[in-house]
Amino acid sequence: MENINVVSDSSVRVKILIDESTRRFIKKDAIASIGSEGLMGNKILIITPGTGGKKEIENDDTVGTSQPLSIDDILASLKTTIDNTTDITSNLSKITTTIQSGKGTMGKLLMDQSLAQNFDSSIVNLKHVQKDLKILSMMSQMAFSKLT
């Protein structure tokens, strides 16, 4: 860091020196934010490099910033995720119980043995019909060939 100026109670201007070999990766639409090295680590400056098609930054350019997430924000988001996961798990449990008890279309399809037997019988009957249709088709072809 080359220079740090406090602009207001919520704003700081930081002047940094960036190595020439690194500067080519930092574009005009780059974003800087404050992060930490770990859960309890030191604060660090994170520069998201920006879009590949943009021009690279030049001397005395200003880089946009974003507000860092606080631990409270992360925990609030995590609580929402946990609450949603709990709701989803509860709903899946209700659906599974309904299916296992044979209720609803899925429950009847998966749990009703007589329905499964009827389905198996229908498949066997379709196979017989298919054979009969083949025989009928061959007989009609033979009869047609004798007529011509």
Side-chain angles (χ1 to χ4, degrees):
M1 305 266 172
E2 216 175 69
N3 191 352
I4 299 176
N5 293 320
V6 177
V7 177
S8 69
D9 63 343
S10 63
S11 181
V12 176
R13 176 171 288 134
V14 179
K15 188 172 186 176
I16 61 174
L17 181 63
I18 298 174
D19 186 78
E20 287 298 320
S21 62
T22 304
R23 185 198 330 227
R24 64 188 170 112
F25 298 108
I26 303 174
K27 307 301 180 183
K28 296 271 188 184
D29 62 343
I31 300 292
S33 62
I34 306 286
S36 51
E37 290 182 301
L39 211 50
M40 303 299 278
N42 295 327
K43 298 295 183 189
I44 59 173
L45 178 66
I46 300 170
I47 300 176
T48 306
T51 311
K54 301 284 184 177
K55 293 173 113 183
E56 68 183 53
I57 59 169
E58 299 170 355
N59 288 337
D60 296 323
D61 268 352
T62 300
V63 174
T65 60
S66 66
Q67 291 293 324
L69 286 176
S70 71
I71 292 296
D72 291 338
D73 293 337
I74 294 170
L75 292 175
S77 175
L78 186 59
K79 182 185 179 326
T80 301
T81 302
I82 290 170
D83 290 345
N84 289 340
T85 303
T86 302
D87 290 344
I88 291 168
T89 303
S90 173
N91 289 338
L92 284 174
S93 177
K94 289 175 188 173
I95 290 168
T96 304
T97 301
T98 300
I99 289 171
Q100 286 178 333
S101 67
K103 295 178 183 172
T105 304
M106 290 303 294
K108 288 176 185 171
L109 282 173
L110 296 174
M111 303 308 287
D112 188 342
Q113 290 299 319
S114 64
L115 189 59
Q117 289 169 349
N118 287 342
F119 184 74
D120 289 343
S121 296
S122 296
I123 296 296
V124 169
N125 289 338
L126 283 172
K127 287 181 180 179
H128 288 302
V129 168
Q130 182 183 19
K131 285 181 186 176
D132 291 345
L133 285 173
K134 281 184 181 179
I135 293 170
L136 185 59
S137 174
M138 289 186 338
M139 290 174 65
S140 64
Q141 284 177 357
M142 289 172 45
F144 183 70
S145 64
K146 287 183 181 182
L147 290 174
T148 56

